[in-house]
Amino acid sequence: MTILSTSGWEDYELFDSGNGKRLERFGKYVLSRPDPQCLWQPQLAENVWENAGAVFAEGGKNGQWLNKKSMPESWDMKYKNLIFQARLSPFKHTGVFPEQQVMWEWLQGRIKKEEKPKVLNLFGYTGIASLICAEAGAEVTHIDASYPTIGWARKNQELSNLQSAKIRWILDDCLEFVKREVRRGNKYNGIIMDPPVFGHGPNGERWEFNDNFPELLSECKKILSEKPLFVLINAYAVSASGIMLGNMLEDTMKGFGGTIESGELALEQKDSKRLLSTGIFGRWCK
């Protein structure tokens, strides 16, 4: 098992964590968000936490942000040459998952090994991974079941001045799309996926990780090119481990050779060696 961690970059830092919360800086704004696994004690003084620009308060179906300092609902963040929009979403997220920095760098390294590889990004959300791949030279197909989220991703493309990049933004159910690609005979050099625990497609298709993920992975194998570059799986809030993802990739990629890694993604707390686990991953590459 591997732990991949990031200390952030110019526009992101994890300041502190504890008492079921995390304190982070997204761009120039400091946010306090719930994180039920932070059972330890925070390291910074209480008054530091009280200076957060916005605090997410859980309650009801989604909860809400308490804007203590009249924060904007959205603002721009930068990572290297990319610019993307962060927002105070009703799901306590901002549309930016900073622990993915280590995966962004990994993807760039894989893509540059082949000219114009075709990459499929399933459950692509706000599209940062799609932009990372497109900027590195890939032709990207981005699939998500939410029309507003695809609009958000396209806005990120515009902010990053990648309007001419080859990205197809498709509103669809991920499993149904992959099944159609199998029938069409289309192939991809790399596949990225970030499957949720539960979800719904645009036409009411039901997604449950434990029931549908094995089938999705099996179908994805059928659309890999003869010499694939990578398969990357990220998962959040599932009752499983990176070991599970590693074992499933081992079954799926049998016969392709290559290397499999699996484990946890983590954020490194500022001025501390403390790590905050954020999710699990499994990845295969040549």
Side-chain angles (χ1 to χ4, degrees):
M1 271 256 299
T2 302
I3 297 177
L4 300 179
S5 64
T6 177
S7 57
W9 65 95
E10 185 178 348
D11 260 6
Y12 175 81
E13 290 177 297
L14 173 64
F15 282 157
D16 198 11
S17 59
N19 288 341
K21 298 178 294 184
R22 55 165 101 168
L23 187 69
E24 302 162 284
R25 180 177 62 82
F26 288 83
K28 63 181 180 180
Y29 298 104
V30 178
L31 309 178
S32 173
R33 300 190 287 166
D35 191 324
Q37 69 170 327
C38 297
L39 301 179
W40 49 86
Q41 294 297 309
Q43 296 180 330
L44 297 181
E46 188 174 341
N47 68 303
V48 178
W49 285 78
E50 291 173 350
N51 285 328
V55 177
F56 189 86
E58 292 184 303
K61 186 177 181 180
N62 296 325
Q64 62 177 328
W65 288 95
L66 304 179
N67 296 335
K68 298 167 64 176
K69 295 185 178 178
S70 300
M71 277 188 59
E73 290 195 4
S74 66
W75 63 98
D76 293 347
M77 291 180 61
K78 185 174 183 180
Y79 174 73
K80 294 185 178 179
N81 296 325
L82 299 183
I83 298 175
F84 38 83
Q85 198 174 74
R87 300 180 186 175
L88 298 178
S89 82
F91 307 104
K92 80 179 178 182
H93 298 305
T94 64
V96 180
F97 294 84
E99 63 275 8
Q100 289 294 324
Q101 180 195 10
V102 291
M103 293 307 185
W104 300 339
E105 293 176 356
W106 183 82
L107 287 167
Q108 288 173 325
R110 307 283 81 72
I111 288 168
K112 289 176 180 177
K113 290 185 175 182
E114 184 164 321
E115 186 177 355
K116 296 182 180 179
K118 293 184 177 180
V119 173
L120 176 62
N121 187 8
L122 300 171
F123 311 97
Y125 199 44
T126 55
I128 298 176
S130 294
L131 299 180
I132 289 284
C133 293
E135 189 194 34
E139 298 179 4
V140 182
T141 300
H142 173 110
I143 312 295
D144 199 90
S146 167
Y147 182 78
T149 301
I150 287 181
W152 189 347
R154 293 183 72 113
K155 176 64 176 178
N156 289 338
Q157 179 185 23
E158 178 185 335
L159 289 170
S160 295
N161 292 317
L162 287 173
Q163 293 93 326
S164 61
K166 291 190 175 181
I167 306 176
R168 293 194 299 159
W169 305 102
I170 298 177
L171 178 71
D172 207 340
D173 176 80
C174 289
L175 180 55
E176 293 304 315
F177 175 84
V178 172
K179 287 179 177 179
R180 288 198 299 276
E181 291 292 85
V182 172
R183 295 194 293 270
R184 294 168 183 148
N186 290 333
K187 301 289 184 179
Y188 295 88
N189 304 103
I191 297 177
I192 306 165
M193 64 180 80
D194 190 350
V197 181
F198 300 103
H200 291 90
N203 297 311
E205 301 93 339
R206 184 174 176 82
W207 168 271
E208 292 191 23
F209 185 91
N210 288 345
D211 293 338
N212 301 118
F213 176 65
E215 181 183 9
L216 176 62
L217 200 54
S218 177
E219 293 297 310
C220 281
K221 181 178 182 178
K222 300 173 186 176
I223 60 173
L224 284 171
S225 64
E226 291 184 2
K227 296 181 179 180
L229 292 175
F230 63 83
V231 176
L232 170 60
I233 306 165
N234 296 293
Y236 295 85
V238 297
S239 299
S241 70
I243 293 174
M244 177 274 293
L245 294 180
N247 290 343
M248 293 189 71
L249 276 174
E250 184 179 356
D251 290 343
T252 302
M253 304 309 295
K254 192 175 295 182
F256 284 98
T259 302
I260 292 172
E261 287 183 282
S262 64
E264 295 187 32
L265 290 174
L267 294 168
E268 184 179 316
Q269 199 162 290
K270 185 181 179 182
D271 301 327
S272 168
K273 293 189 179 297
R274 176 168 285 174
L275 296 180
L276 171 61
S277 177
T278 58
I280 60 175
F281 78 93
R283 63 187 189 185
W284 172 91
C285 69
K286 274 293 190 182

